[in-house]
Amino acid sequence: MARAEHVDSAALARLIGGWRTEDVPLPHALAGALAELIAGNVLVEGAALPPQRALAAALGVSRGTVAEAYAELAARGRLTSRQGSGSRVRRGRGAGGDHVVEGRLASFGRTRRPVELDLSSGALPALSLVRDAVSAVDLRELDVYLADDGYYAAGLPRLRTVVAEQYTVQGLPTAPDQILVTSGSQQAVWLCASSLVAPGDEVLVEEPGYRGAIEAFRTAGARLTGVPVRQDGLDLDHLERVAHRAALLYCQPAAHNPTGISWPAAGRERLSEIVGRHGVLTIEDRSCADLVLDDRGVRPPLPEPADPGSVVRIGTASKLLWGGLRVGWIRAERPMITRLTQAKAALDLAAPVLDQMVTAELLAQADRARQERTRRLRAHLAEAAAVLAERRPAWRWTPPHGGTALWIDTGTDAVALAGRARERGVLVTAGPAFSPSNAQRSRLRLPFWRPVEQFAHAVELLE
């Protein structure tokens, strides 16, 4: 039987998604949505559902709607209610699973009904360079791959060479056999979580931090400890106090998701010293490092600690070039690359050959791509800032160094705000999705790269 867990109202709202339908009464529709989560073992046996008032606020409905939905599920034998212990999931005999799925990436899945505007993701449309590169695929090179089986477990040699050269130019000498090509950076995070973490290990993550990493490490059975992120980056004094007991640290020092912060050089150097001294395996995720908004350019990788094998680095082409180009990579010492390559081969054999060919061609033009992205993102950021200054002057946010979104303090319950917006056809992601402890409830991540008319319309509906 699964261990009983409390399901946070914000997490459950994310999992439910768009549940209302025009021809079904609200309580019945909500009960049906919850029943699907129970039947799919997303909500496991014994899980404690949120109090009625908290879930009602997160969904933007009355408490009575939630009370009726819970009552209907109890009548179906899907919930049990006891005075003082709330409502708990009951799946009956044979229930499996051992934890509640967090659903932090639920916005990337299919919603129950179409939405007018999806601002739940900061993923970007393609640069014009992508279409040109696809059209210019070298058929002679392709013929070489077509004559083979197409399975290049660690990635195409040409792409591994190009990625290695990028790291070398940025100050981290790298050989092609120190690169593993993955199907996007999210797969790289999941590979690291599943291969490098044992159940019960303590993993340090940023608070707030990247929601995909939080979900990946929690699914691997890790105990997550949040290290606060300040305006100048990770709270390194806090890290110093907890590093000795951790198995792994995951961080995004450049263009951090969701805050957009890039650490200063002194902070990167001190972190390298701390993790080296404590022997903490560190994952540096540089997925957004190419998306620069200030005048300081792309930040270099973390300095190498005394033991170079203690830092694993993740990168991707999907952020800079196009979200649909699912090519990422891991940079590590050779024994680690061998270990992770074996894990990846068991998962999907190899990354797509055509995507890798296109990416290799595009990364040879990385400077041009960065310049175009920076120009476009700066223009969108200026427009978004003007909209917020006029229409939401009470909201507080710090201009980001990089990335595609604003980390906004709304001064109110952003979970409820997002719930009301969802029912008006706008999807946004509230702060708890980026917190290992479901904190950050007043925060909202708001991508600013959309056309200003769409951004302004979304802001109007966020009230």
Side-chain angles (χ1 to χ4, degrees):
M1 178 174 168
R3 71 178 184 272
E5 295 192 31
H6 174 74
V7 185
D8 179 80
S9 59
L12 188 53
R14 291 194 299 270
L15 290 167
I16 292 174
W19 55 275
R20 300 192 192 199
T21 57
E22 295 181 358
D23 55 347
V24 177
L26 288 180
H28 185 65
L30 178 56
L34 291 170
E36 287 185 18
L37 296 177
I38 295 170
N41 205 33
V42 176
L43 296 175
V44 300
E45 176 84 8
L49 296 189
Q52 296 171 6
R53 191 183 304 277
L55 183 58
L59 295 175
V61 298
S62 69
R63 181 181 179 183
T65 294
V66 178
E68 289 186 48
Y70 280 10
E72 181 175 333
L73 288 171
R76 295 191 207 174
R78 290 289 180 256
L79 288 185
T80 59
S81 297
R82 294 181 181 177
Q83 187 70 28
S85 61
S87 298
R88 293 184 176 272
V89 171
R90 180 185 180 192
R91 296 189 65 243
R93 298 176 64 182
D98 62 359
H99 68 282
V100 179
V101 174
E102 285 291 308
R104 294 174 192 276
L105 298 180
S107 60
F108 290 94
R110 179 177 175 271
T111 56
R112 295 170 186 271
R113 63 189 179 98
V115 296
E116 180 181 349
L117 185 57
D118 188 347
L119 293 178
S120 62
S121 168
L124 295 165
L127 292 174
S128 58
L129 299 175
V130 176
R131 188 180 190 281
D132 296 340
V134 171
S135 302
V137 167
D138 188 338
L139 296 181
R140 291 171 299 179
E141 180 185 357
L142 178 60
D143 283 341
V144 174
Y145 300 134
L146 291 175
D148 203 348
D149 60 13
Y151 296 148
Y152 298 87
L156 293 186
R158 181 187 171 204
L159 177 57
R160 298 175 76 191
T161 297
V162 171
V163 173
E165 290 172 351
Q166 294 271 326
Y167 278 107
T168 301
V169 167
Q170 293 172 2
L172 183 64
T174 301
D177 60 0
Q178 291 178 277
I179 301 297
L180 166 63
V181 178
T182 61
S183 298
S185 60
Q186 183 60 33
Q187 186 187 65
V189 172
W190 279 83
L191 277 174
C192 290
S194 60
S195 302
L196 307 179
V197 174
D201 280 352
E202 182 170 11
V203 170
L204 306 179
V205 296
E206 294 153 316
E207 170 69 83
Y210 173 48
R211 55 179 170 160
I214 293 171
E215 183 156 306
F217 287 111
R218 182 154 284 158
T219 300
R223 294 182 294 110
L224 301 187
T225 296
V227 180
V229 173
R230 308 179 306 188
Q231 289 193 359
D232 61 347
L234 201 65
D235 186 338
L236 296 176
D237 291 334
H238 186 102
L239 177 64
E240 184 76 76
R241 292 192 294 269
V242 299
H244 68 279
R245 69 190 196 211
L248 184 145
L249 165 68
Y250 169 90
C251 59
Q252 290 190 331
H256 171 262
N257 185 354
T259 67
I261 291 169
S262 290
W263 305 4
R268 297 195 299 271
E269 291 171 2
R270 186 180 172 200
L271 179 133
S272 179
E273 188 275 327
I274 291 172
V275 299
R277 177 158 38 85
H278 290 286
V280 181
L281 179 61
T282 300
I283 297 177
E284 179 192 12
D285 189 340
R286 295 178 53 79
S287 293
C288 296
D290 293 312
L291 306 179
V292 179
L293 295 168
D294 58 21
D295 296 323
R296 300 178 186 176
V298 177
R299 275 50 166 190
L302 288 174
E304 285 280 68
D307 176 10
S310 63
V311 179
V312 175
R313 305 168 202 273
I314 290 173
T316 184
S318 302
K319 303 294 186 185
L320 175 64
L321 301 171
W322 178 40
L325 198 61
R326 304 308 304 154
V327 176
W329 50 82
I330 297 172
R331 190 273 184 201
E333 296 302 302
R334 293 172 181 85
M336 179 69 75
I337 291 297
T338 298
R339 176 180 177 183
L340 294 173
T341 299
Q342 293 171 345
K344 184 184 185 305
L347 182 65
D348 66 356
L349 298 181
V353 169
L354 284 172
D355 283 14
Q356 294 183 74
M357 291 179 64
V358 171
T359 299
E361 181 65 30
L362 287 166
L363 288 181
Q365 310 173 63
D367 287 342
R368 178 184 170 192
R370 292 188 191 106
Q371 290 171 4
E372 183 176 346
R373 273 295 184 217
T374 295
R375 177 178 57 80
R376 291 187 182 185
L377 288 174
R378 283 178 174 175
H380 284 299
L381 177 57
E383 293 173 337
V387 169
L388 292 175
E390 176 186 353
R391 305 187 186 187
R392 294 290 179 267
W395 287 3
R396 296 289 178 260
W397 53 278
T398 300
H401 301 134
T404 64
L406 302 176
W407 183 239
I408 295 173
D409 188 346
T410 65
T412 186
D413 186 348
V415 174
L417 198 70
R420 292 193 296 270
R422 181 171 55 245
E423 299 312 320
R424 295 166 181 161
V426 176
L427 289 182
V428 293
T429 307
F434 304 93
S435 169
S437 58
N438 281 314
Q440 312 288 335
R441 292 189 72 92
S442 69
R443 295 281 185 167
L444 196 68
R445 191 189 68 169
L446 198 59
F448 58 77
W449 63 266
R450 295 274 185 173
V452 65
E453 297 82 7
Q454 293 183 10
F455 184 85
H457 179 58
V459 169
E460 282 297 315
L461 295 178
L462 281 166
E463 60 181 7

